[in-house]
């Protein structure tokens, strides 16, 4: 592509006792006659840790080194200050994290990239799954995936599949397994990679998945190697426990539309899977809390039919009383156990789904965490599902972990109902409760978690540890748990010699794999405990996790990899970071990496002060002086432009003749004009939002908010905290911060209030407008913002230094126009109205000329409505 040919790409995976060691090697050559930039892009499983990266250029290898994050950052910033280019960026996706590195190579030169990462394969639904993202972006002469699996227990089944696999490609997957060994290879020829006979596009674009399971003659398997052990526990053929399950569902106004329909669809499918000996109930929360039944109800056919009718009639409205909903669910579980309504040996589970932040009742998240932990008191497991990016994921995760559960993000895509149902399937079949694996205290140190609230059918418990005496070669373990019929209690033991006999096939083993598996599990669990810890405890957990990350060379949230590579007889530094789910990650990237940085931003969550559904596909905003930001998700980038007009002018921002929705904004200026400035500052001092079908008008200024429904007028100020429900409308005022307006068809807006110092000699208070769920408007929508609610494509060419050394210029091809644009930043003030967050974008000059339809003066209107 563009003179760069990837002539070889190999993915080599070795799996030993569920622990996978993966090496991706990519070789490229510059076929052009000038130096070119070569990119190496890889998507890795979120659960993996990078352990090594190197580049070989013209026979010379440049390795990466893993350092403590702060030290790596300083080294990186020092290189950036010298004007050198960056190396690596990582951004978080649904199942994967993106790793990118680029390097300039001379004409006719070759480069080899080699990336190594490791992960423990988890067992779900009775199988271990290894996930490989395949996306070479061009035809590759020598492309191969090779997977070798060694399991001392023996392999019972092995399969490989790909989302991109055609009937012809199916024959290129070679699969064999016998005894303890399994092998998979996938090596399509150049012609087999083509999308059609003479096409140059590659069909290799999607997920390649390997699944397998092992023989289980006993409930567990112990392995001892060189002073470390791992214990796999996965009993089979146990009777299923009955479960007591409370679904706590957010039905606030922000859940209206597709989110609510997907939730109801998932709940109806889940009701089909609930067994007759289970007990269940629904708690719904918006401003108020309501329950389907006052107690837990047995899942008889009659009760399930009634529940289906109840679910079908759920509708969304109101604000978000999350605390009230959870506490009501806990109360019902408490009563069921106290009154012996449920079997003594049963698993009690709370599944809570929300798409926003608590804003009614107890809204302080720390208070909610304390109250929920105290009320549950270790008796039940809490699972929190966060729908979209409008949630405080850190809060949901802390609260779940404190109550022996976990949090899961539900992505607001077309398969959201399947995501919800899939999660339920994972926890729908508890086999044991209160499982403990006890090891001799005087023999073992540094043990990973060894007690578990629930064991689910098809899963596996993994415990690893280190012997006090590294020469010890025998281990005895007491296993206890509560099953459906009786208590489980037995002792299992293993000798190191037995493990050694099982591992005679040395070519399948990579290094001290059990020691590395122990380190991997330990770091993972220390980082998890760190989420809920505070003060000195958090510092100690951080220090332990950091020390192990550095010792075993894992890129974790506490470490970074620094890469040194050649550039004109000087060094340039790259940095690789491990993202943390639910936390915004911004890495400073110099010019040559600028095209990659948008991926960091657009994968991040941006929780607001209020509750609303996830970021829409088409996210647009106007704020500041006035700055327009248009996201282009398919490019993982953004375009921005300013409109420079005189105070008093009214601009049409959105106009949809089909839904009857219009949004206009009136400009204000500074308190006094700056005679030296060529262009005067201007901001939106008044916004008018109308829906003619609902006969509704909303007028917003930095002082007042006026609602007009027909002839009726209602007024508020920004000092109010209000949630207002009217036919087809939800209005939430978050005191002195922002206002959220949702209309019946799912269209939503956020208006941010910017307040300046009252005695400021120049500036005045002003407003910002952010569109959410703008995809609900019709294709006929227009206006300065509205025209961008439909997909827009653009191409960036010829990036070169501009007048500002920190902001490169480039040529943009958009709407058949060739524009000179500048890479810069605009502020997103949704989360922080005072400081804002920098958003990278391509800036179009001259009032958006060539980008907007017509000229900007075409959008001037005579009145607010």
């Amino acid at each position: 592509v563009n003179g760069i040919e990837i002539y070889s790409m190999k993915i080599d995976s070795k799996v030993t006792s569920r622990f996978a060691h993966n090496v991706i090697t990519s070789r490229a050559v510059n076929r052009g006659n000038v130096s070119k930039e070569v990119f190496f892009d890889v998507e890795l499983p979120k659960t993996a840790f990078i352990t090594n990266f190197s580049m070989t250029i013209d026979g010379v290898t440049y390795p990466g080194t893993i350092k403590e994050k702060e030290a790596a950052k300083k080294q990186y910033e020092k290189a950036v200050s010298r004007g050198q280019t960056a190396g690596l960026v990582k951004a978080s996706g649904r199942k994967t994290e993106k790793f990118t590195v680029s390097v300039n190579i001379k004409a006719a030169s070759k480069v080899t990239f080699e990336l190594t990462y490791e992960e423990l394969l988890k067992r779900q639904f009775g199988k271990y799954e290894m996930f490989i993202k395949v996306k070479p972006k061009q035809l590759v002469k020598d492309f191969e995936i090779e997977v070798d699996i060694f399991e001392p227990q023996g392999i019972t089944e092995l399969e490989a599949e790909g989302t991109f696999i055609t009937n012809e490609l199916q024959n290129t997957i070679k699969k064999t397994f016998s005894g303890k060994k399994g092998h998979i290879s996938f090596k399509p020829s150049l012609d087999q990679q083509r999308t059609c006979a003479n096409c140059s596009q590659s069909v290799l674009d999607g997920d390649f998945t390997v699944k397998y399971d092992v023989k289980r003659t006993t409930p567990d398997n112990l392995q001892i190697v060189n002073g470390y052990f791992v214990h796999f526990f996965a009993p089979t053929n146990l009777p299923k426990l009955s479960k007591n399950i409370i679904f706590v569902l957010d039905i606030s106004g922000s859940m209206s539309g597709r989110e609510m329909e997907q939730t109801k669809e998932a709940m109806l499918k889940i009701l089909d899977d609930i067994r007759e000996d289970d007990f269940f109930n629904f708690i719904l929360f918006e401003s108020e809390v309501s329950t389907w039944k006052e107690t837990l109800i047995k899942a008889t056919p009659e009760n399930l039919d009634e529940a289906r009718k109840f679910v079908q009639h759920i509708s969304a409205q109101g604000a978000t009383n999350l605390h009230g909903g959870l506490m009501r669910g806990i109360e019902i579980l408490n009563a069921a156990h106290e009154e012996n309504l449920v079997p003594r040996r049963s698993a009690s589970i709370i599944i809570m789904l929300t798409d926003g932040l608590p804003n009614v009742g107890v809204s302080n998240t720390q208070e909610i965490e304390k109250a929920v932990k105290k009320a549950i008191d270790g008796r039940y497991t809490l699972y929190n599902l966060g729908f979209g990016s409008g949630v405080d994921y850190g809060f949901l995760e802390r609260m779940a972990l404190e109550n022996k559960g976990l949090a899961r993000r539900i992505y607001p895509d077309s398969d959201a109902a399947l995501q919800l149902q899939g999660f339920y399937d994972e926890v729908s079949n508890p086999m044991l409760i209160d499982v403990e694996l006890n090891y001799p205290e005087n023999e073992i140190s540094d043990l990973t978690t060894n007690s578990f609230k629930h064991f689910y059918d098809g899963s596996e418990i993994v415990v690893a540890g280190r012997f006090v005496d590294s020469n010890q070669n025998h281990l005895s373990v007491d296993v206890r748990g509560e099953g459906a019929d009786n208590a489980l209690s037995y002792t299992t033991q293993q000798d190191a010699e037995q493990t050694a006999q099982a591992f005679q096939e040395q070519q399948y083993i990579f290094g001290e794999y059990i020691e590395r598996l122990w380190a991997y599990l330990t770091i993972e669990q220390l980082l998890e405990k760190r989420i809920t810890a505070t003060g000195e405890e958090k510092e100690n957990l951080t220090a332990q996790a950091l020390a192990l990350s550095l010792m075993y060379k894992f890129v974790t949230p506490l470490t970074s990899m620094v890469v040194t590579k050649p550039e004109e007889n000087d060094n340039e530094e790259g940095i690789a970071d491990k993202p943390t789910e639910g936390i915004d990650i911004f890495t400073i990237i110099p010019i040559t990496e600028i095209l990659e940085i948008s991926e960091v931003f657009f994968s991040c969550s941006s929780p607001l002060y209020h509750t609303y559904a996830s970021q829409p596909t088409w996210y647009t905003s106007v704020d500041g002086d006035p700055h327009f930001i248009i996201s282009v998700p398919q490019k993982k980038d953004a375009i921005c432009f300013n409109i420079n007009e005189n105070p008093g002018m009214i601009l049409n921002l959105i106009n949809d003749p089909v839904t009857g929705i219009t949004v206009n904004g009136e400009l204000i200026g500074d308190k006094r004009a700056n005679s030296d400035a060529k262009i005067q500052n201007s901001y939106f001092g008044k916004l008018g939002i109308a829906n003619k079908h609902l006969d509704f008008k909303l007028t917003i200024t930095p002082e007042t908010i006026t609602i007009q429904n027909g002839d009726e007028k209602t007024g508020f100020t920004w000092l109010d905290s209000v949630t207002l429900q009217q036919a087809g409308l939800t209005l939430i005022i978050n005191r002195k911060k922002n206002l959220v307006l949702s209309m019946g068809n799912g269209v939503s807006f956020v208006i941010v209030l910017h307040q300046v110092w009252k005695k400021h000699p120049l500036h005045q208070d002003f407003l910002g407008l952010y569109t959410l769920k703008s995809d609900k408007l019709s294709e006929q929508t227009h206006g300065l913002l509205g025209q961008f609610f439909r997909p827009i494509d653009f191409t960036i060419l010829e990036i070169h230094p501009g007048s500002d050394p920190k902001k490169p210029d480039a040529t943009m091809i958009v709407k058949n126009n060739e524009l000179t644009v500048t890479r810069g930043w605009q502020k997103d003030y949704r989360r922080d109205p005072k400081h804002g967050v920098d958003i990278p974008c391509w800036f179009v000059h001259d009032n958006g000329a060539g980008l907007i339809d017509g000229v900007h003066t075409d959008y001037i209107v005579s009145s607010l409505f």
Side-chain angles (χ1 to χ4, degrees):
V1 175
N2 202 22
I4 300 298
E5 178 193 344
I6 302 171
Y7 61 89
S8 171
M9 178 172 275
K10 183 167 184 180
I11 301 166
D12 184 18
S13 299
K14 281 186 167 51
V15 183
T16 306
S17 291
R18 294 74 150 163
F19 198 50
H21 177 88
N22 309 283
V23 181
I24 300 175
T25 307
S26 180
R27 293 182 167 89
V29 59
N30 181 0
R31 299 285 189 202
N33 52 15
V34 294
S35 292
K36 291 270 178 83
E37 192 170 19
V38 181
F39 286 88
F40 172 61
D41 289 337
V42 176
E43 290 186 53
L44 310 172
K46 277 189 174 184
T47 50
F49 290 150
I50 292 171
T51 61
N52 192 34
F53 174 73
S54 67
M55 293 181 298
T56 301
I57 303 170
D58 289 337
V60 181
T61 299
Y62 304 89
T65 56
I66 293 173
K67 298 188 175 186
E68 189 268 328
K69 190 178 286 288
E70 198 57 37
K73 185 182 176 187
K74 285 177 182 173
Q75 184 174 341
Y76 168 73
E77 288 175 346
K78 184 179 177 183
V80 169
S81 70
R82 297 197 300 263
Q84 295 158 352
T85 55
L88 311 177
V89 179
K90 294 190 63 203
S92 201
R94 187 192 282 198
K95 290 175 71 175
T96 60
E97 293 165 351
K98 182 158 179 154
F99 173 100
T100 299
V101 62
S102 71
V103 65
N104 282 307
I105 62 168
K106 298 171 187 173
S109 287
K110 293 181 178 181
V111 59
T112 298
F113 300 102
E114 186 173 285
L115 178 75
T116 306
Y117 66 94
E118 294 176 350
E119 65 170 329
L120 176 65
L121 303 182
K122 292 188 168 57
R123 187 171 185 256
Q124 280 187 333
F125 307 120
K127 293 177 183 175
Y128 303 99
E129 178 178 302
M130 183 164 70
F131 169 84
I132 298 170
K133 193 78 171 178
V134 177
K135 195 170 186 173
K137 298 181 183 177
Q138 60 174 269
L139 301 173
V140 179
K141 183 181 176 182
D142 181 16
F143 181 93
E144 184 177 10
I145 296 175
E146 194 162 16
V147 181
D148 288 309
I149 302 169
F150 185 83
E151 290 289 348
Q153 289 169 262
I155 298 171
T156 57
E157 55 183 315
L158 176 64
E159 58 191 71
E161 57 191 28
T163 56
F164 53 87
I165 298 293
T166 60
N167 289 335
E168 185 183 3
L169 279 177
Q170 189 68 48
N171 299 326
T172 65
I173 300 178
K174 307 297 182 188
K175 178 185 74 172
T176 58
F177 71 96
S178 176
K180 301 169 187 174
K181 292 190 280 187
H183 179 79
I184 284 171
S185 70
F186 173 60
K187 193 173 183 179
S189 67
L190 265 179
D191 286 339
Q192 288 170 325
Q193 294 174 42
R194 298 180 194 276
T195 51
C196 65
N198 297 312
C199 296
S200 59
Q201 287 82 31
S202 173
V203 75
L204 304 184
D205 185 0
D207 305 338
F208 189 84
T209 307
V210 175
K211 295 181 181 179
Y212 73 93
D213 200 19
V214 301
K215 289 179 182 174
R216 299 184 192 280
T217 53
T218 59
D220 41 20
N221 177 256
L222 267 169
Q223 296 174 24
I224 304 169
V225 176
N226 294 340
Y228 292 83
F229 77 88
V230 62
H231 184 187
F232 300 104
F233 175 77
T236 55
N237 302 321
L238 292 174
K240 291 182 174 66
L241 281 163
S242 66
K243 61 181 178 294
N244 319 306
I245 189 162
I246 298 266
F247 297 100
V248 182
L249 305 179
D250 181 347
I251 61 161
S252 61
S254 59
M255 284 285 291
S256 64
R258 188 169 76 158
E259 287 82 356
M260 194 75 259
E261 291 308 310
Q262 289 172 321
T263 301
K264 288 160 68 171
E265 180 188 341
M267 288 300 129
L268 290 171
K269 288 177 180 172
I270 286 169
L271 286 170
D272 291 339
D273 295 334
I274 290 182
R275 299 195 310 272
E276 194 164 349
D277 57 349
D278 290 342
F279 290 77
F280 73 108
N281 201 349
F282 290 99
I283 312 295
L284 309 179
F285 66 89
E286 28 100 8
S287 303
E288 304 296 327
V289 176
S290 58
T291 60
W292 172 49
K293 299 289 184 183
E294 289 305 306
T295 62
L296 278 171
I297 298 294
K298 194 167 187 186
T300 63
E302 297 77 18
N303 286 338
L304 288 169
D305 280 342
E306 187 182 340
R308 290 184 187 97
K309 292 173 187 172
F310 171 78
V311 167
Q312 285 167 342
H313 288 93
I314 294 174
S315 60
Q317 60 180 4
T320 309
N321 187 358
L322 185 148
H323 172 264
L326 270 178
M327 295 304 284
R328 185 77 183 100
I330 297 165
E331 287 166 12
I332 288 177
L333 270 178
N334 286 344
H337 282 277
E338 288 165 8
E339 297 165 20
N340 295 317
L341 295 176
V342 296
R344 185 178 70 83
R345 282 199 175 108
S346 58
S348 292
I349 298 167
I350 302 169
I351 297 179
M352 194 266 291
L353 169 72
T354 183
D355 78 330
L357 302 180
N359 56 13
V360 170
V362 180
S363 58
N364 183 295
T365 54
Q366 289 182 330
E367 289 180 30
I368 296 173
E369 285 176 47
K370 287 179 186 174
V372 169
K373 186 177 181 181
K374 183 178 179 182
I376 289 179
D377 195 26
R379 291 168 293 184
Y380 321 127
T381 303
L382 172 64
Y383 295 105
N384 288 330
L385 306 181
F387 205 133
S389 58
V391 294
D392 181 346
Y393 189 82
F395 157 61
L396 297 182
E397 187 174 39
R398 285 191 305 274
M399 189 162 58
L401 291 172
E402 285 174 336
N403 295 285
K404 301 185 179 180
L406 55 83
R408 182 76 58 83
R409 195 181 285 285
I410 303 298
Y411 292 84
D413 298 329
S414 57
D415 68 341
L418 289 175
Q419 295 176 57
L420 289 167
Q421 189 187 355
F423 174 79
Y424 172 78
D425 290 344
E426 290 178 42
V427 299
S428 61
N429 292 312
M431 312 287 277
L432 295 169
I433 57 173
D434 298 326
V435 179
E436 289 192 5
L437 295 87
N438 296 310
Y439 306 84
E441 286 185 19
N442 58 340
E443 296 176 10
I444 302 298
S445 68
D446 302 312
L447 186 69
T448 62
T449 301
N450 66 322
S451 64
F452 304 85
K453 187 65 182 173
H454 295 150
F455 168 74
Y456 295 105
D457 189 23
S459 68
E460 182 173 67
I461 286 171
V462 183
V463 181
R466 182 163 62 175
F467 289 106
V468 174
D469 179 0
S470 60
N471 295 315
Q472 184 168 333
N473 56 18
H474 177 83
L475 183 62
S476 179
V477 187
D478 289 327
V479 181
R480 301 180 187 278
E482 293 282 330
D485 299 334
N486 48 43
L488 178 76
S489 179
Y490 68 91
T491 300
T492 186
Q493 51 191 353
Q494 177 78 352
D495 289 311
E497 193 174 311
Q498 293 170 285
T499 306
Q501 289 171 357
F503 280 87
Q504 291 171 351
E505 305 292 339
Q506 289 298 316
Q507 73 267 27
Y508 275 69
I509 300 173
F510 51 93
E512 301 293 341
Y513 87 95
I514 286 186
E515 182 178 346
R516 292 193 67 77
L517 190 156
W518 164 80
Y520 173 97
L521 258 187
T522 302
I523 293 168
E524 200 175 50
Q525 291 177 7
L526 287 168
L527 292 171
E528 189 176 275
K529 289 176 185 174
R530 183 173 167 262
I531 291 168
T532 58
T534 57
E536 189 176 341
E537 182 192 5
K538 186 165 190 168
E539 290 177 11
N540 289 337
L541 291 168
T542 301
Q544 291 174 57
L546 174 60
L548 284 173
S549 300
L550 293 171
M551 182 184 298
Y552 290 94
K553 295 182 168 53
F554 286 132
V555 176
T556 70
L558 303 175
T559 54
S560 296
M561 181 182 292
V562 180
V563 184
T564 305
K565 51 190 177 173
E567 175 115 282
E568 297 176 359
N569 302 318
D570 207 341
N571 289 336
E572 54 178 78
E573 306 291 344
I575 193 165
D577 286 328
K578 176 84 174 170
T580 303
E581 175 66 79
I583 294 178
D584 292 357
I585 304 228
F586 292 93
T587 309
I588 303 165
I589 312 297
I591 292 170
T592 55
E593 296 293 324
I594 206 78
L595 287 170
E596 301 299 321
I597 194 165
S598 322
E599 301 185 13
V600 179
F601 167 68
F602 282 105
S603 70
C604 296
S605 62
S606 295
L608 305 191
Y609 299 101
H610 48 78
T611 172
Y612 68 89
S614 62
Q615 271 192 325
T617 307
W618 309 115
Y619 157 71
T620 61
S621 69
V622 56
D623 210 334
D625 182 21
H627 307 301
F628 291 76
I629 304 178
I630 313 299
S631 79
V632 187
Q634 71 270 29
K635 292 286 188 181
K636 297 183 179 176
D637 210 335
I639 303 175
C640 49
F641 61 94
N642 294 353
I643 295 294
N644 300 306
E645 261 304 334
N646 296 321
M649 289 296 180
I650 300 172
L651 299 176
N652 174 236
L653 304 176
I654 299 167
N655 179 30
D656 183 4
V658 177
T659 62
I661 293 172
T662 61
V663 181
N664 294 324
E666 183 177 329
L667 295 171
I668 59 170
D670 287 332
K671 291 176 182 175
R672 55 182 174 80
N674 182 350
S675 57
D676 297 330
K678 292 180 182 178
I679 300 173
Q680 299 298 327
N681 294 329
S682 57
Y683 312 87
F684 281 115
K686 185 183 287 187
L687 292 170
I689 303 176
N691 186 325
K692 69 179 182 182
H693 296 332
L694 298 176
D695 197 11
F696 166 86
K697 292 179 181 176
L698 176 65
T699 307
I700 309 158
T701 73
E703 293 78 36
T704 60
I705 298 148
T706 307
I707 303 167
Q708 184 170 346
N709 251 337
D711 296 328
E712 288 186 21
K713 276 191 176 182
T714 311
F716 300 98
T717 74
W718 284 97
L719 295 174
D720 295 316
S721 290
V722 174
T723 299
L724 194 63
Q725 292 270 309
Q726 295 182 0
L729 295 164
T730 301
L731 179 75
I732 300 172
I733 301 173
N734 294 294
R735 187 175 186 270
K736 297 174 72 174
K737 291 176 182 172
N738 56 32
L739 175 155
V740 189
L741 174 66
S742 299
M743 301 195 196
N745 62 350
V747 177
S748 298
F749 303 105
V750 176
I751 292 88
V752 173
L753 172 66
H754 295 276
Q755 291 185 306
V756 300
W757 177 45
K758 292 297 178 191
K759 295 181 181 179
H760 196 289
L762 203 59
H763 299 315
Q764 303 187 66
D765 294 350
F766 64 96
L767 304 169
L769 172 74
Y770 295 79
T771 64
L772 308 172
K773 296 206 270 193
S774 53
D775 55 315
K776 307 291 183 181
L777 293 167
S778 79
E779 290 190 1
Q780 296 180 42
T781 304
H782 211 267
L784 281 169
L785 281 179
Q787 63 187 286
F788 298 107
F789 293 166
R790 297 179 295 279
I792 182 172
D793 194 17
F794 67 89
T795 302
I796 294 293
L797 305 169
E798 301 168 359
I799 301 174
H800 58 275
S803 56
D804 183 340
K806 295 179 182 176
K807 297 178 179 179
D809 284 349
T811 299
M812 173 184 284
I813 309 297
V814 61
K815 293 185 177 180
N816 294 321
N817 296 319
E818 189 172 305
L819 312 176
T820 297
V821 293
T822 301
R823 192 62 176 182
W825 306 84
Q826 296 289 16
K827 292 282 190 183
D828 176 346
Y829 291 101
R830 289 176 304 159
R831 185 175 181 181
D832 182 352
K834 187 175 180 182
H835 302 103
V837 173
D838 285 327
I839 306 305
C841 60
W842 292 107
F843 183 79
V844 177
H845 302 272
D846 302 325
N847 292 296
L851 172 68
I852 64 172
D853 294 340
V855 295
H856 81 278
T857 51
D858 296 340
Y859 299 88
I860 295 174
V861 293
S862 58
S863 68
L864 206 59
F865 294 105

